[in-house]
Amino acid sequence: MSEVVVTVHGEHVARVAPEEAVATLVVRAEGAARDGVVADVSAWSAPLRDELESAHAEGRVAQWSSDSVSVWSERPWNAEGKRLAPIFHATVNLSATFTDFDALSAWASEVIERDGVQFTGVDWRLSPLTRAALERSVAAEAVTVAVERATAYARALGLSDVTAVEIADAGMLTDDRGARGESMRPLMARAAFAGDAGAAEIRLQPADVVVSATVDARFVAR
């Protein structure tokens, strides 16, 4: 046996603590008068903007944003099939990237008690620089795993020299007919949060950010 083609799959997963928490809120109001719901949602969202701006100035929030007011109306039907008077709705969406998780827990515990405020969730993330560096590292480790597997197969066959001839994201390796399979993203990050809501305070527990890479590789073993 002088030469063998070896095709392998390599993967690597890293779990790291998040550096940022992106909190999202919606301020909602509804009523019979358009001006009234606009006034309510504007009044309820103004303190939130002020607090986020202060937190940003103090370094507890990396950035924040707030959409303009969205307003729409609907005319519901009653049980007798009669169209009722219009009901107006207004919303404002807010998003804030916290770097101080204790500050986020304290703020969330307070704002959910306010009129019209719905705390919609938290997305735990890495900073862009950290994420990019981690993705490169994880991808390199996945390639290393593929090389180690190919080397193990070669040695089991009594061969010692392994040369890479093709490497690709998972599902994109050229097959013997020159066709390509369905492509997949080699790097995926996901984050979730666990909350423990008590009578007085929400304690947000960060979940690790998971970054994984998967590659397919083809080698010639001699």
Side-chain angles (χ1 to χ4, degrees), residues 148-212:
E148 291 172 348
R149 285 181 174 174
T151 301
Y153 289 152
R155 289 177 178 171
L157 295 171
L159 304 173
S160 58
D161 183 43
V162 176
T163 303
V165 295
E166 192 171 6
I167 188 166
D169 296 344
M172 297 182 66
L173 192 66
T174 304
D175 64 19
D176 293 338
R177 295 164 298 175
R180 290 190 181 276
E182 182 181 357
S183 64
M184 298 174 59
R185 292 183 63 188
L187 293 169
M188 297 168 286
R190 57 187 173 87
F193 79 94
D196 180 11
E201 185 178 8
I202 290 177
R203 296 298 300 172
L204 298 173
Q205 179 62 43
D208 284 348
V209 177
V210 179
V211 178
S212 65

Side-chain angles (χ1 to χ4, degrees), residues 86-184:
I87 295 180
F88 291 88
H89 303 266
T91 63
V92 172
N93 297 312
L94 295 99
S95 175
T97 303
F98 280 80
T99 54
D100 184 331
F101 299 160
D102 290 336
L104 170 59
S105 293
W107 185 69
S109 300
E110 199 274 325
V111 299
I112 61 172
E113 300 296 330
R114 301 181 189 176
D115 289 338
V117 177
Q118 179 184 0
F119 193 91
T120 54
V122 177
D123 183 18
W124 304 104
R125 299 180 182 178
L126 300 173
S127 68
L129 288 177
T130 299
R131 185 180 65 248
L134 184 60
E135 287 177 349
R136 291 192 296 268
S137 174
V138 170
E141 289 294 337
V143 173
T144 299
V145 171
V147 172
E148 291 172 348
R149 285 181 174 174
T151 301
Y153 289 152
R155 289 177 178 171
L157 295 171
L159 304 173
S160 58
D161 183 43
V162 176
T163 303
V165 295
E166 192 171 6
I167 188 166
D169 296 344
M172 297 182 66
L173 192 66
T174 304
D175 64 19
D176 293 338
R177 295 164 298 175
R180 290 190 181 276
E182 182 181 357
S183 64
M184 298 174 59

Side-chain angles (χ1 to χ4, degrees), residues 17-38:
E19 298 172 314
E20 301 176 345
V22 181
T24 53
L25 298 87
V26 179
V27 182
R28 305 178 187 274
E30 64 177 43
R34 183 184 188 281
D35 291 346
V37 298
V38 171

